Amino acid sequence: MKSEINSLEEYKREYEKSITAPEEFWAEKANNFVWRKKFGKVLEWNFDEPLNRWFIGGKLNITENCLDRHLEKKGDKTAFIWEPNNPTEKTINISYNELHKRVCRFANVLLNNGVKKGDRVCMYLPMIPELPVAMLACARIGAIHSVVYAGFSSGSLSTRILDTKAEIVITSDGAYRGSKTIPMKAIADEALLSCPNVKKVIVVKRTAENIKLNAGKDVWWHEEENKVNDTCQAAEMDAENILFVLYTSGSTGKPKGIAHSCASYMVYADYTFRNVFHCSQNDVYWCTADIGWITGHSYLVYGPLLSGITSVMFEGIPTFPDAGRWWEIVDKNKVNIFYTSPTAIRTLEALGSDPIKKYSLSSLKLLGTVGEPINSSAWEWYHKNIGKEKCFIVDTWWQTETGGIVISPLLNVSEQKPGYAMLPLPGIQLVIANAKGEEQKGNDVEGILCIKFPWPGMLRTVYGDHERCKKTYFSDFKGLYFSGDGCKRDKDGDYRITGRVDDVIKVSGHLLGTAEIENAINQHLAVVESAVVGYPHEIKGSAIGAFVATFKVPENSEKLKQEIIEQVGKAVGPIAKPEKLFFVHELPKTRSGKIVRRILKKILEGETENFGDISTLIDPFVIKELVKVVSSEKKFAKIGL
Ligand code: WTA
């Protein structure tokens, strides 16, 4: 289906209707899908509970909408062009027919291994075709998929497996990442030591390295596939059944399993994909995000497949074998629409424009970014060097919790303002709230970004902890969904996201909770306590700074620093390793014992004097020590990742 929004008038018409008659508006969109049984009431909602339900009574299977319904007319069309990490290895094209068969076959493997409707299946896989196949196979039989990013450590993996109570895990022997090989199975084995509930591990052969298969528990993907055929009737799912759980970091140590449901997530992923990216049927689309993040779920797997589009899926990294790799893939596959992150853009910008010169990039029509605020210089670089000043750029703001894009510039509708996410999509009723939760009306206002009416992509719950869902998103301000992001609406009514207002940090586009990292640091026997804050970083957007109080002055501070950093890498993952780490005697605390991160952040940003109101601190002199430690940083070797 084509996009509904191709001009300002159309945007205004869609937006108006989505506000005045939301149920009718979304029912119309939902009617374009294949339903086993039509829904009755479109929406029931209550932000206090929260209890939000869409397309009530409807029955369907999302894979029939992603795959089966395309087969008659475009069965031979390529669904995925898979580009391997190493350019000397063969590219694989997977048609809709083949993808359908592979999904059905693997769905039978899952059934054969005892997976039932509603069971949770955890995937810890690199960017290989088996990952979307496994996700869709779960959806086919009504199991809930929970993908864990392959860059996470064994500790993060086991926390997530335990939280969903998954009994089955899918992983690979190894993963290729640039010039490195990652021992996926060994990491998974370590995680599984603390997950006695896992009964089966299905292993994809990717790197063919020597691995240990645990008898009775571990099976090879390819051997299991030989035991089954490739027809599998899709399970009939209720609109509100959970489709997947995906973890995101929060301000407490434990990550939150964001749960999305089958029908309305589908409707929203589809609507936003079509209207933001404007793919026509012959276009080639490429989203570089890892499927371990929500962007990969909504705009690499579900969105493009629902539209029957051809997408590129890339296993590797942008700088291997050299910094021209992405552009080689763009030219080779004549990619028309390209969606990536500001961190990747800044990394490539730092490497200069030489690696791009060999490539024409003339196929590109539209570019996108997601995941963090994009600074104007990166935006300009992207516009000039990649888009050759002729591609519209969509700076899309959204979250794991929103399921799909919520604010974005729209082609032929909005102008381009670098760093601006611009306009709410139809169905999105934004509020900029002040610290008391009062709506800031009119233009030229700033505050916290909230949403006051349900939209189909919204989360349903935090898996296994509905109270946490309520507390995190629906309790700060009554009647509002609280995003945790600061936002400005300028004099023209356009939106600009200013960054997080809570204790989570976006590092290279990955959301990390300060508490999660602090917990990892505090596990070290030498450590009393620690405080972690984000500070601006040229490439990563934000980097992590850690202030660590130790029991005694470290004898070998460099060694201890390395040990602590390694510990964080092990407990959370390499992306969470602090870039800077300082040993201190004490942390700045209020009388009630709360660490004042605001002050630590300012110190890391170079502030030495103006810390605002410090009267609530137990010991204001602590600040002096901290300033001294940070400003004499030269003595503290900077530790890279
Ligand atoms: C940030 C990613 C500025 C924001 C889809 C949000 C952005 C968090 C943008 C969600 C953007 C995402 N401009 N900031 N265009 N897009 N963010 O759950 O802080 O991994 O709350 O979802 O990323 O991160 P998540």
Side-chain angles (χ1 to χ4, degrees):
M1 233 188 86
K2 284 193 122 123
S3 49
E4 289 91 332
I5 307 172
N6 301 290
S7 65
L8 183 58
E9 288 66 48
E10 282 173 350
Y11 169 74
K12 284 187 175 155
R13 204 183 315 139
E14 286 275 300
Y15 193 81
E16 183 65 22
K17 178 153 192 198
S18 77
I19 304 303
T20 52
E23 298 197 32
E24 201 183 307
F25 178 83
W26 290 113
E28 257 171 39
K29 311 297 171 204
N31 283 334
N32 294 317
F33 294 91
V34 176
W35 293 84
R36 292 275 183 89
K37 183 174 165 242
K38 270 279 146 72
F39 49 89
K41 202 157 184 271
V42 176
L43 172 66
E44 261 176 22
W45 70 288
N46 172 342
F47 272 11
D48 294 333
E49 297 279 341
L51 182 71
N52 301 290
R53 306 200 306 145
W54 287 85
F55 308 119
I56 293 147
K59 307 277 180 203
L60 81 170
N61 187 292
I62 195 169
T63 68
E64 291 187 328
N65 287 289
C66 287
L67 302 171
D68 303 54
R69 70 169 165 155
H70 301 317
L71 299 186
E72 196 186 321
K73 291 210 179 111
K74 34 183 158 164
D76 293 331
K77 181 173 177 176
T78 302
F80 287 119
I81 302 169
W82 179 75
E83 287 287 354
N85 177 62
N86 194 324
T88 58
E89 200 183 322
K90 246 177 67 196
T91 300
I92 298 176
N93 282 355
I94 304 170
S95 68
Y96 275 88
N97 268 330
E98 276 171 69
L99 185 61
H100 178 257
K101 281 198 178 140
R102 289 188 68 171
V103 167
C104 288
R105 187 179 284 277
F106 194 67
N108 287 333
V109 167
L110 292 174
L111 291 171
N112 227 10
N113 279 281
V115 180
K116 297 179 303 300
K117 203 169 172 173
D119 286 354
R120 279 79 49 215
V121 176
C122 173
M123 279 142 224
Y124 184 64
L125 283 168
M127 288 285 284
I128 52 178
E130 284 80 358
L131 177 50
V133 166
M135 292 160 78
L136 293 162
C138 284
R140 188 85 179 167
I141 62 168
I144 297 169
H145 60 73
S146 163
V147 181
V148 177
Y149 172 56
F152 273 137
S153 66
S154 58
S156 293
L157 176 60
S158 63
T159 312
R160 286 158 177 77
I161 294 173
L162 289 171
D163 195 65
T164 52
K165 302 193 179 66
E167 292 184 354
I168 185 152
V169 172
I170 306 171
T171 188
S172 62
D173 49 358
Y176 294 124
R177 209 177 145 70
S179 55
K180 289 192 205 142
T181 305
I182 319 278
M184 302 290 289
K185 177 64 166 55
I187 300 172
D189 279 345
E190 202 177 319
L192 292 178
L193 290 177
S194 47
C195 304
N197 49 325
V198 173
K199 296 195 185 117
K200 266 274 147 62
V201 181
I202 302 180
V203 188
V204 180
K205 190 175 244 173
R206 172 65 188 120
T207 53
E209 63 203 85
N210 230 344
I211 57 157
K212 192 177 102 234
L213 281 194
N214 300 304
K217 191 168 182 184
D218 301 351
V219 291
W220 283 113
W221 171 297
H222 58 275
E223 285 178 5
E224 291 305 291
E225 278 197 326
N226 287 338
K227 299 180 188 163
V228 296
N229 66 23
D230 58 14
T231 47
C232 176
Q233 174 73 8
E236 184 172 288
M237 303 302 292
D238 188 87
E240 279 296 312
N241 284 155
I242 297 177
L243 173 65
F244 66 84
V245 172
L246 183 62
Y247 285 85
T248 183
S249 296
S251 41
T252 69
K254 201 173 160 216
K256 299 172 290 225
I258 303 300
H260 284 285
S261 59
C262 293
S264 67
Y265 169 80
M266 170 186 80
V267 171
Y268 198 67
D270 174 70
Y271 181 74
T272 51
F273 176 76
R274 288 184 295 105
N275 285 292
V276 173
F277 297 108
H278 288 268
C279 290
S280 57
Q281 279 302 322
N282 296 324
D283 281 345
V284 176
Y285 161 88
W286 182 12
C287 165
T288 68
D290 193 286
I291 295 177
W293 308 110
I294 190 69
T295 309
H297 279 56
S298 302
Y299 300 114
L300 201 164
V301 180
Y302 289 110
L305 293 178
L306 287 163
S307 275
I309 291 293
T310 299
S311 314
V312 172
M313 173 177 179
F314 176 43
E315 182 185 32
I317 56 171
T319 49
F320 178 81
D322 59 55
R325 183 68 197 281
W326 273 5
W327 319 126
E328 184 232 332
I329 295 177
V330 166
D331 271 11
K332 178 176 157 200
N333 297 294
K334 306 207 167 29
V335 172
N336 306 107
I337 291 115
F338 181 77
Y339 190 31
T340 193
S341 69
T343 292
I345 296 168
R346 287 190 294 262
T347 306
L348 293 167
E349 180 189 2
L351 295 168
S353 49
D354 274 357
I356 306 164
K357 290 200 176 118
K358 270 182 28 207
Y359 306 101
S360 95
L361 305 181
S362 58
S363 54
L364 291 172
K365 297 196 288 202
L366 187 140
L367 303 174
T369 75
V370 58
E372 28 171 344
I374 182 162
N375 47 311
S376 2
S377 90
W379 193 98
E380 296 293 352
W381 184 86
Y382 195 35
H383 183 56
K384 184 160 172 262
N385 293 280
I386 308 304
K388 311 291 181 200
E389 292 178 347
K390 67 177 175 46
C391 297
F392 190 75
I393 299 182
V394 291
D395 173 357
T396 62
W397 180 88
W398 59 296
Q399 308 178 297
T400 305
E401 296 84 344
T402 68
I405 296 166
V406 162
I407 312 179
S408 177
L410 294 170
L411 183 66
N412 299 328
V413 175
S414 39
E415 55 176 300
Q416 296 266 262
K417 289 189 189 175
Y420 275 71
M422 298 301 285
L423 297 174
L425 261 62
I428 300 295
Q429 302 193 29
L430 296 177
V431 165
I432 294 189
N434 65 10
K436 290 189 205 136
E438 295 157 348
E439 180 165 1
Q440 306 294 289
K441 296 221 164 105
N443 290 342
D444 208 5
V445 290
E446 189 168 352
I448 298 164
L449 184 64
C450 297
I451 306 177
K452 67 175 171 195
F453 192 82
W455 66 102
M458 70 188 302
L459 80 164
R460 289 302 185 276
T461 190
V462 168
Y463 193 80
D465 195 351
H466 195 65
E467 199 48 39
R468 189 158 177 215
C469 174
K470 178 174 172 171
K471 201 160 162 261
T472 314
Y473 306 107
F474 297 96
S475 299
D476 286 77
F477 304 146
K478 191 165 167 51
L480 296 178
Y481 166 82
F482 177 89
S483 75
D485 276 28
C487 180
K488 267 184 195 164
R489 184 166 50 226
D490 74 359
K491 57 181 185 356
D492 306 322
D494 298 322
Y495 290 83
R496 180 187 171 88
I497 307 300
T498 52
R500 300 291 307 180
V501 296
D502 54 10
D503 289 339
V504 294
I505 313 174
K506 265 263 155 160
V507 182
S508 301
H510 306 319
L511 211 54
L512 295 164
T514 51
E516 229 174 318
I517 305 170
E518 287 163 6
N519 287 347
I521 296 176
N522 298 349
Q523 276 166 27
H524 196 289
L525 292 177
V527 174
V528 182
E529 60 178 351
S530 60
V532 161
V533 289
Y535 65 93
H537 186 277
E538 251 180 50
I539 307 271
K540 300 174 184 177
S542 300
I544 298 167
F547 293 84
V548 180
T550 47
F551 284 102
K552 51 181 197 207
V553 177
E555 275 166 26
N556 184 343
S557 60
E558 212 37 61
K559 182 166 165 275
L560 182 59
K561 196 183 279 189
Q562 287 304 343
E563 278 175 21
I564 294 174
I565 288 172
E566 277 320 305
Q567 182 150 318
V568 175
K570 220 161 174 279
V572 188
I575 44 170
K577 287 182 179 177
E579 179 98 358
K580 291 184 178 177
L581 190 150
F582 305 100
F583 291 116
V584 296
H585 291 108
E586 249 178 279
L587 295 167
K589 285 190 185 166
T590 61
R591 276 167 227 284
S592 59
K594 243 186 142 191
I595 296 170
V596 191
R597 288 197 180 72
R598 170 182 68 80
I599 292 178
L600 296 172
K601 223 172 142 77
K602 280 199 162 170
I603 295 176
L604 273 185
E605 284 165 9
E607 186 60 67
T608 53
E609 278 167 4
N610 298 317
F611 296 104
D613 180 14
I614 52 167
S615 61
T616 55
L617 293 188
I618 307 177
D619 178 6
F621 292 105
V622 169
I623 297 179
K624 279 220 163 88
E625 185 206 355
L626 294 168
V627 169
K628 217 165 105 197
V629 169
V630 173
S631 54
S632 62
E633 196 203 338
K634 305 284 169 286
K635 281 192 267 159
F636 295 80
K638 195 171 156 187
I639 296 159
L641 288 184

